[in-house]
Every structure is written in C-alpha cells, then in structure tokens.
Amino acid sequence: MKKKIIVLGTGFAAFRFLKKIDISKYEVIVVSPRNHFLFTPLLPSTTVGTIEFRSIIEPIRNIDNITFYQSYCTEIDKANNKIICIDTDTGTRFELGFDYLVIAVGEVTNTFNVEGVGKYALFLKELSDARKIRTKVVECFENAYLPGISEEKRKQFLRFVVCGGGPTGVEFAAELNDFIEDDVKKKYPEISKDVEIILVESRNKLLATFDEKLSEYTMKVFQRQNINLLMNTYITSLDENKIFLSNGDTIDYGLLVWATGNTSTELVKESGFELNKQGKIITDSFFRVKNSQNIFAIGDCAGIENKNLPATAQVAQQQGVYLAKFFNDGLNQTNEFEFKSLGMLAYIGDSKALADTSQYKGTGFKTFILWRSAYLTKLVSLKNKVLVIFDWVKTFLFGRDISSF
Amino acid sequence: MKKKIIVLGTGFAAFRFLKKIDISKYEVIVVSPRNHFLFTPLLPSTTVGTIEFRSIIEPIRNIDNITFYQSYCTEIDKANNKIICIDTDTGTRFELGFDYLVIAVGEVTNTFNVEGVGKYALFLKELSDARKIRTKVVECFENAYLPGISEEKRKQFLRFVVCGGGPTGVEFAAELNDFIEDDVKKKYPEISKDVEIILVESRNKLLATFDEKLSEYTMKVFQRQNINLLMNTYITSLDENKIFLSNGDTIDYGLLVWATGNTSTELVKESGFELNKQGKIITDSFFRVKNSQNIFAIGDCAGIENKNLPATAQVAQQQGVYLAKFFNDGLNQTNEFEFKSLGMLAYIGDSKALADTSQYKGTGFKTFILWRSAYLTKLVSLKNKVLVIFDWVKTFLFGRDISSF
C-alpha cells in the first residue's frame, strides 16, 4: 500500500510540492481552509482592478489524483501520527492519520498587537483582503463625493494610508496611485485634487531588502508622484477615524492598509515544535522538523536551523520542489537544499519597476516590461497567463472598473 | 439656467434615459445606492461563473456630464420639489431640489412574508446576490466532500432548491445544472451522483409568459436533465436546514434561491402617490405621475393607468428612451408611449434556449446561438461585449472556476 502524505496549506510551497510529488508512489491528501492557490506577487494589482481577482488563482482540485479537504487543521497529534481538523463552516470535526506530514501553512499578518489594527485596518494577504480594499477604495470616493460632506470629512475619506514600506506596501501604494492618475481624475474630477496617499515606514528606507540605489530611486519616484513618505515613524494605535503616530501626530484617514510583515499561525505557535526567533518551525536541511522523523515543514512557516532565508515566494517554491523530489527519491540522504536566488522585482507605479538580480539591476519602463514578462512566465497555468494578459489589455483600453457591489 | 432633473435609480429605465437625455438642455443628477448599471438578463450566468461579475456592469460615471450621488433617497417632498437622501454608509443626510423628478427605482424581491426567507434564502437581483450564490454553491460542494460528514448531511448540502419557475428561476436552475455537468463531475467526481436540483413552482407550468409549447418543452428538457419539478407547490416556511412545503412535505436543503417575483420598494410604498394593484406608481401615457406635474415614473416601479405591461428590461428600456425624447422635445404633447415587443428569450441549459417572438418561435442549440447573439448586441458598451465574449471562450476552454474566497 502507498504511504500517505498529508499536506497542510495551498500556498507556494505546498502547490509546488503537489505539482511535483509522484502520486504513483504516495497517496496525497491536502487540508487547507483555502481551496485555491493564489499568485501573491500580483495581488496588489487586484486591489484597484488592474488585474481581476480570478485571474491569479488556480483551484487545488485542478491537480489530478490528490484529495482535498477544505478545512482548518487545529492540532497535530505527533504521538499518534494524526491531525485533527475542525471545519469552521459546518462545525464538522474529523481526524486524519498520516505516514508523513508536510506543514506548509504559511504565516498570518502581524498586527504587533497595535490597538485597533484588527478592527479598522485592512490587510493584503488573501484575495478576500484585496476585494475588501477594492470595495473600500471606491466607497471612499463615493462618500467623498456626497453633497452633504464637509471639506474636512471629504479630505479624510480621500486620505489613504499604507503602513509598511516592504514590497506589499510599496506595490499597493503604487497601484493606488496609478488608479488615481488613470481613472479617478476622469471619473471623480472635482475631488481628485483632495486625494492624499501616505506611506508610514518605521525604518529610514523603503524596500530595505533591495539594493541601496533602487531603494533611493523608489523614494524619489514616490515623492514625485505625491506619495507622502513618513519615514522613521510607526503607528501606535488607531480608532475608526484617527491614526496615532509615534511622533505624536495624528492622521484622519479614510482607508488604512496594514502591510508590516507576518507572524506565526496559531497552529504553529501551539504545535509544540521548537520554533526559532522568528517563530518558524526549526528544520534540518531536508526540511525534517527537529526531533521528528516523518514531519516536514516548508515555506514561510519553516526555518532551516542556522540558516536565514528570506520569507519569499521564490524560496517557498524551491523548497516545495526540493521536498517533492526528496520524497520521490525515497527520502534517501541527498544534497542539502540550496536556495538559488533569481533576484527581486517590484512594481513602483507609473509603468516603472525595479529589478535587483545578480546580472541586472534596473529601473524604469524597460524594467516594467521585464517585471510583467517575468511574472507572466511564473504564473502557474495557461489559463492564468491568458487571463492576466487579457486584464492588462482591458485596463489599457477601457480603464479600471469603479463599480462597487 | 438649465432646468434640473433628478433621476432616482440606475437600472434599465434610468440608464436608457440618461444615455438619451440632452444635457445641453437639462442639468441631470442621479441618486442611487448602486453606482453602476447591471445587465440583469445575464445575471444568472454569473452565479456559477459562466460569465464574470464585472463583465455585465457599466459604471454610471462613464456617462459624461451628469452628476452621480451614491445614496438612498428616503423621502420625496412633493410640496417643496425636493428629495431627502440618507447615505447608509456615512450616515450623511442631504436634500436636493429639483425641477423634474424621474422615479426609476425598480422593485425588490417579494418574500411574500414567508417565514425564514429573509434570513436563509438567497435572492438573485443584484451582483452581490450572484456573488453570494456563487460562494455558497462552492461551499456546499466543499462541505459535502468533508470526510466527517454523514451520508444524509452530504445529500443535504448537495440539494439545491430554486423557488419560482419564471425566467430568473429557470435560468438559474439551467446554469447550475450546466455547472454540475461540465465542472462538478470533473472536480468532485465522488459526490456528483448525490447532487439534486429541485424547482418549486406554485402554478402548473414553467415560464408562464411564454408560448404553451415552449413552456412544455422546457419542462421536458428539465426532466431529462434530472431537475426535479415540484409543480403546484409552494414553500410555506423554512429554517436553517428544512423547507416546509404546501403539500406537507419537507426538504433538507443546502441552498435555496428565491426567485418568485418582485414587489414595491419602501420609497414607493411610502411615497403617497396613488399605486395600482401591483403596488406600482400610476402614471399617464407620458409617465407623469397621477396628480403631479413635474414628477415622472418609469420602469418596474411604474404602471400606466389602465394598461398592463410586463415588468421586463425591454419595457423599462423603451420607457427610458421615450421619456428622454419627451424631455428633449420640451415636454410637449406628443404620441403616447407604445411598447413594441421584440419577443422573449430564455436559456434553459445544455446549450439550449427558447425564443418566443412574433416572427420566430424556436428551441434548441440554434436558438441558443440566437440568445447569445441577441444579448451580446444588447449589452450597453463595447467593453461589456468584449468581456462577455471572452468569458464565454474562457469557460469553453478552461471550465468554470471553483475557487472560493
């Protein structure tokens, strides 16, 4: 009988693992609350409709011959080699036994326990987050347009705050700015002058993981685009209307997107596995969880002991592929995992992008074309590629849709 | 100074009026909680993803030189020629004065005060309804697939009930059946045999407004497609799990879509205007509201005195065009409105449609092509046409997306 692998998660690490695992050798069961893979690098583009939501997802059930259960795993019973799942929708509780467990549950947005974030800020991690942002952005414009609104209130509705100067925060600010330049100025001409985008970053630079020059270039481009940068500043708390800053100032805001990085899920926190300082499950170089024989962890939720890899899609993908090969080859001692960096890309608005690779460091429109081509290549299905190209053409020809529903 | 027209609504009647009204002669303000026009004839196709949501809407702000306020109108102050609006999102209250008022607010789904409908049934009138249905349908399949589920419970999740055998109910049942045949059988093969679609209709025929033969043909096609028809039956009440029928039976259901027709909005009910037996505002043949000089009503919310027109998109559109011309011509006595029926079309699944026009009564695949061509022609923008064609091709090539978010 085939050995049974349970995979927790449907992100980059899990998806690549599932695409590569040899189902003639293993029975594979996937458990995740999300029934699709999401191509997160293009998620910021969906918040304003440059790309549509369904263009960057792929149902897990499209992978042949695996079993998928849409449910949360709430507990890992290491002693008995089983997991316990509770489906939040139906309340169904069930257990699944495994021979091997692959934990690839990723992380959740870190609120740093800042008061009000969970209640009033929007995140940008799942498609449902992007949809909330898209709805809220249009609502802000519609509200600001109402005749009964004071000037002060109107300006508040049109003050968009982004917390976090990493790739997610920067790309969202860039997309929002494109939306305002390309669409809002046409559709809401009377109020477009009152729009303000503010980016709050606790350090003194944006995109800190990028080359120094590219980081500086981004700050210059943002300043030219009238994105207000509040550097060396952080948010201490917020309520429904006001953001309180570390420098004592307050901001009356219409929308706050919180993109300050991630932290462990409850499952990982309470797993009983040894975690590193970042709260990631410690594994060896073959992704075997410390002090465990048949449990593996890959992607953002895992950290190889004494090795520090960035928590990116690229790393997660390569780990998924590596681990699948390791399984397919019978779990025999082999070469340790080695991350091959393909470099980093980021979109910074106005048809400009950054590339930071070993061969090429570039900016501007040419790099924007590279950015689009690279992600197009990386999309996981022909359908995704066709849809994303179509969306880009559609946005170019017809603009972004401001309908709200 | 130009006279000011306020238009309430963004449906077929209002949209056509707005496209035709001469803005060199009038100042035009539109008030509606919905900031887009929705092409409702294709709404059932969006519930399972044959067509995407944004492919059949057009932002009202795309119409040049009109002012749009996204808000509810809560009161019409006839004596002082003004309306009172309360924006539900911001709580803003404002008043707008008018020289002419055009009421085109449509209707809302009629629950017939059946207990449980408001709480547990889904409607199919707006895009947000279609989105709820699409999410719920996939949830039903994911829930039914869970390992901890009893056979009884699984069958309940997979029992889809449609209440109402008019065009909306029939087309939704047809689309759902297509989805099951084309996609579910591939993606959820183990449970697809347990799926059941039940259509409940209080009369003894489906599509009662269509030619008798076409109505009978539809019933035969549905029976062949394993859609269970419960004729001469109505729903007396429902709770979270059970539907209670007029014949004493009960149905354990997973999803109920309620499509039994429409009734007046609160605004119309409390407008103080004289209403006809169907609760519609009584107008003369020029759509002037009875006992009023400068207030007009068109579309589903209006009824010409002693004349009975169907509450369809076709009628509403022609009324919108007529009234705009009437305004453009200076409101002078002219020919009365006359409805020119272009016939009726309905999709009944499996690439089959019905056509009931004066020249042609047809069924089957050829009529399906006619159905698609006709609606493609009727879509209100080039963008919509391109998107809908693209969606049809996409569904044909790649199937419907079962991702849920």
Side-chain angles (χ1 to χ4, degrees):
Chain A
M1 232 180 77
K2 289 194 275 190
K3 298 270 191 185
K4 190 194 281 183
I5 306 175
I6 292 185
V7 178
L8 303 181
T10 48
F12 270 101
F15 188 75
R16 288 296 171 186
F17 178 86
L18 293 169
K19 291 289 259 189
K20 284 280 175 212
I21 190 74
D22 185 345
I23 50 98
S24 72
K25 291 183 178 155
Y26 298 96
E27 182 191 346
V28 181
I29 295 177
V30 187
V31 176
S32 170
R34 191 177 80 182
N35 76 351
H36 54 275
F37 164 75
L38 168 65
F39 191 78
T40 44
L42 290 177
L43 188 59
S45 291
T46 66
T47 57
V48 293
T50 312
I51 292 176
E52 291 299 335
F53 303 128
R54 288 182 186 269
S55 303
I56 57 169
I57 53 183
E58 189 65 22
I60 285 298
R61 292 181 186 279
N62 283 4
I63 303 174
D64 289 333
N65 297 311
I66 61 163
T67 301
F68 173 74
Y69 297 132
Q70 181 179 294
S71 179
Y72 283 94
C73 167
T74 51
E75 200 186 322
I76 298 164
D77 182 346
K78 296 180 276 277
N80 298 301
N81 286 335
K82 65 181 186 186
I83 60 167
I84 291 129
C85 303
I86 293 179
D87 178 57
T88 42
D89 193 18
T90 60
T92 312
R93 182 188 185 282
F94 59 94
E95 302 182 354
L96 297 171
F98 59 80
D99 296 304
Y100 300 105
L101 179 67
V102 176
I103 306 170
V105 294
E107 295 197 300
V108 292
T109 304
N110 194 349
T111 64
F112 295 99
N113 292 318
V114 172
E115 202 191 315
V117 171
K119 197 161 175 195
Y120 302 112
L122 296 178
F123 302 128
L124 186 46
K125 207 152 160 42
E126 300 293 341
L127 270 189
S128 53
D129 298 328
R131 183 163 63 197
K132 277 182 206 150
I133 293 174
R134 187 167 182 185
T135 304
K136 180 83 181 179
V137 167
V138 174
E139 285 311 301
C140 283
F141 282 101
E142 292 295 352
N143 290 344
Y145 203 88
L146 290 176
I149 291 280
S150 69
E151 193 186 337
E152 197 189 332
K153 199 74 189 159
R154 185 173 68 244
K155 287 187 171 169
Q156 182 186 335
F157 279 125
L158 298 178
R159 202 168 285 123
F160 300 97
V161 183
V162 184
C163 183
T168 305
V170 164
E171 290 193 326
F172 170 67
E175 290 283 350
L176 184 60
N177 196 60
D178 282 2
F179 176 60
I180 289 157
E181 290 298 319
D182 301 345
D183 303 275
V184 168
K185 289 196 170 168
K186 280 181 215 150
K187 304 289 167 59
Y188 306 85
E190 301 86 346
I191 58 171
S192 66
K193 64 173 192 326
D194 290 330
V195 176
E196 193 181 359
I197 303 178
I198 299 173
L199 197 154
V200 182
E201 164 59 48
S202 60
R203 282 172 287 189
N204 64 354
K205 55 181 173 182
L206 299 179
L207 299 174
T209 55
F210 279 66
D211 181 275
E212 186 83 25
K213 274 190 191 141
L214 299 177
S215 166
E216 280 166 19
Y217 172 80
T218 306
M219 289 177 72
K220 261 183 225 147
V221 169
F222 271 22
Q223 276 153 355
R224 215 181 310 138
Q225 287 172 352
N226 291 317
I227 296 175
N228 290 336
L229 299 177
L230 289 183
M231 309 307 289
N232 302 306
T233 311
Y234 56 90
I235 292 175
T236 55
S237 71
L238 64 141
D239 63 24
E240 204 183 335
N241 292 300
K242 266 189 202 318
I243 292 170
F244 299 88
L245 297 174
S246 53
N247 61 13
D249 287 351
T250 61
I251 305 174
D252 293 331
Y253 73 105
L255 165 82
L256 168 63
V257 171
W258 188 266
T260 55
N262 300 323
T263 186
S264 324
T265 59
E266 283 303 307
L267 179 71
V268 168
K269 270 188 210 160
E270 291 170 13
S271 64
F273 297 124
E274 200 178 318
L275 307 182
N276 69 14
K277 268 184 289 180
Q278 290 93 44
K280 293 169 193 284
I281 300 171
I282 299 176
T283 72
D284 64 18
S285 297
F286 309 97
F287 304 108
R288 217 181 291 258
V289 172
K290 203 170 175 179
N291 302 321
S292 169
Q293 283 309 307
N294 60 341
I295 301 182
F296 298 78
I298 48 176
D300 285 5
C301 70
I304 299 173
E305 191 154 30
N306 300 321
K307 206 165 175 178
N308 212 346
L309 292 173
T312 64
Q314 232 177 84
V315 171
Q317 285 192 67
Q318 292 183 21
Q319 293 182 347
V321 171
Y322 175 91
L323 189 62
K325 272 194 68 186
F326 189 53
F327 269 93
N328 294 345
D329 294 346
L331 299 161
N332 296 316
Q333 212 63 19
T334 173
N335 293 325
E336 291 186 355
F337 172 76
E338 229 175 289
F339 173 56
K340 285 174 203 66
S341 175
L342 303 168
M344 293 178 295
L345 296 166
Y347 179 61
I348 58 167
D350 193 22
S351 302
K352 291 185 178 68
L354 307 179
D356 187 350
T357 74
S358 52
Q359 299 94 2
Y360 173 74
K361 290 191 204 311
T363 58
F365 183 72
K366 235 167 61 187
T367 309
F368 167 68
I369 300 298
L370 173 72
W371 175 78
R372 285 205 162 176
S373 318
Y375 281 154
L376 208 52
T377 319
K378 293 284 171 200
L379 280 164
V380 299
S381 71
L382 174 64
K383 186 188 75 177
N384 281 179
K385 291 172 206 219
V386 172
L387 296 186
V388 166
I389 292 175
F390 182 78
D391 287 344
W392 282 334
V393 173
K394 183 187 75 177
T395 299
F396 179 75
L397 291 178
F398 302 115
R400 297 170 185 85
D401 187 4
I402 56 159
S403 304
S404 164
F405 59 92
Chain B
M1 231 179 76
K2 288 194 277 189
K3 298 270 190 185
K4 190 193 282 182
I5 305 175
I6 292 185
V7 178
L8 303 180
T10 48
F12 270 101
F15 189 75
R16 288 295 170 186
F17 178 86
L18 293 169
K19 291 289 258 188
K20 284 281 175 209
I21 190 74
D22 186 345
I23 49 99
S24 72
K25 291 182 177 157
Y26 297 97
E27 182 192 346
V28 181
I29 295 177
V30 186
V31 176
S32 170
R34 192 178 80 181
N35 76 350
H36 54 275
F37 164 75
L38 167 65
F39 191 78
T40 43
L42 290 177
L43 188 59
S45 290
T46 67
T47 57
V48 293
T50 312
I51 292 176
E52 292 298 336
F53 303 128
R54 288 183 187 269
S55 303
I56 57 168
I57 53 183
E58 190 65 22
I60 285 298
R61 292 182 186 279
N62 283 3
I63 303 174
D64 290 332
N65 297 311
I66 61 163
T67 301
F68 173 74
Y69 296 132
Q70 182 180 293
S71 180
Y72 283 94
C73 167
T74 51
E75 200 187 321
I76 298 164
D77 182 347
K78 296 180 277 277
N80 298 301
N81 286 335
K82 66 182 185 185
I83 60 167
I84 291 130
C85 303
I86 293 178
D87 178 57
T88 43
D89 193 18
T90 61
T92 312
R93 182 188 185 283
F94 59 94
E95 302 182 354
L96 297 171
F98 59 80
D99 297 303
Y100 300 104
L101 180 67
V102 176
I103 306 170
V105 294
E107 295 197 300
V108 291
T109 304
N110 194 349
T111 64
F112 295 99
N113 292 318
V114 172
E115 202 192 316
V117 171
K119 197 161 175 196
Y120 303 112
L122 296 177
F123 302 129
L124 186 46
K125 206 150 162 43
E126 301 293 341
L127 270 189
S128 53
D129 299 328
R131 183 163 63 197
K132 277 182 206 150
I133 293 174
R134 187 167 182 186
T135 305
K136 180 83 181 177
V137 167
V138 174
E139 285 311 301
C140 283
F141 282 101
E142 292 295 353
N143 290 343
Y145 203 88
L146 290 175
I149 291 279
S150 69
E151 193 187 336
E152 197 188 332
K153 199 73 190 162
R154 185 173 69 244
K155 286 187 172 169
Q156 181 186 335
F157 279 125
L158 299 178
R159 202 169 285 123
F160 300 97
V161 183
V162 184
C163 184
T168 305
V170 164
E171 290 193 326
F172 170 67
E175 290 283 350
L176 184 61
N177 196 60
D178 282 2
F179 176 60
I180 289 157
E181 290 298 318
D182 301 346
D183 303 275
V184 168
K185 289 196 170 167
K186 281 181 215 149
K187 303 290 168 57
Y188 306 85
E190 301 86 345
I191 58 171
S192 66
K193 65 175 191 327
D194 290 330
V195 176
E196 193 181 359
I197 303 178
I198 299 173
L199 198 156
V200 182
E201 164 59 48
S202 60
R203 281 171 288 189
N204 64 353
K205 56 181 173 181
L206 298 179
L207 300 173
T209 55
F210 279 67
D211 181 274
E212 185 84 24
K213 274 191 192 142
L214 298 177
S215 165
E216 280 165 19
Y217 172 80
T218 306
M219 290 178 70
K220 261 184 224 146
V221 169
F222 270 22
Q223 276 153 355
R224 215 181 311 137
Q225 286 172 352
N226 291 317
I227 296 175
N228 290 336
L229 299 176
L230 289 183
M231 309 307 290
N232 301 306
T233 311
Y234 56 91
I235 293 175
T236 54
S237 72
L238 63 141
D239 62 25
E240 205 183 336
N241 292 300
K242 267 189 202 317
I243 292 170
F244 299 88
L245 297 174
S246 54
N247 61 13
D249 287 351
T250 62
I251 305 173
D252 293 331
Y253 73 105
L255 165 82
L256 169 63
V257 171
W258 188 266
T260 55
N262 300 323
T263 186
S264 324
T265 60
E266 283 303 307
L267 179 71
V268 167
K269 271 188 210 160
E270 291 170 13
S271 63
F273 297 124
E274 199 177 320
L275 308 182
N276 69 14
K277 268 184 290 179
Q278 289 93 45
K280 294 170 193 286
I281 300 170
I282 298 176
T283 73
D284 64 18
S285 297
F286 308 97
F287 303 108
R288 216 180 291 258
V289 172
K290 202 169 176 180
N291 302 321
S292 169
Q293 282 309 308
N294 60 340
I295 302 182
F296 298 78
I298 49 175
D300 285 5
C301 71
I304 300 173
E305 192 154 30
N306 300 321
K307 206 164 175 179
N308 212 346
L309 292 173
T312 63
Q314 232 178 84
V315 171
Q317 285 192 67
Q318 292 183 21
Q319 293 182 347
V321 171
Y322 175 91
L323 188 62
K325 271 195 69 186
F326 188 53
F327 269 93
N328 294 346
D329 295 346
L331 298 162
N332 297 316
Q333 212 62 18
T334 172
N335 293 327
E336 292 187 355
F337 172 76
E338 228 175 291
F339 172 56
K340 284 174 203 67
S341 174
L342 303 169
M344 293 178 294
L345 296 166
Y347 180 60
I348 58 167
D350 193 22
S351 302
K352 292 185 178 68
L354 307 179
D356 187 350
T357 74
S358 52
Q359 299 94 2
Y360 173 74
K361 290 191 203 311
T363 59
F365 183 72
K366 235 167 62 187
T367 309
F368 167 68
I369 300 298
L370 173 71
W371 175 78
R372 284 204 162 175
S373 318
Y375 281 154
L376 208 53
T377 319
K378 292 285 171 199
L379 280 164
V380 299
S381 72
L382 174 64
K383 186 188 75 176
N384 281 179
K385 291 173 205 219
V386 172
L387 296 186
V388 166
I389 292 174
F390 182 78
D391 287 344
W392 281 334
V393 172
K394 183 187 76 177
T395 299
F396 179 75
L397 291 178
F398 302 115
R400 297 170 184 85
D401 187 4
I402 56 159
S403 304
S404 163
F405 58 91

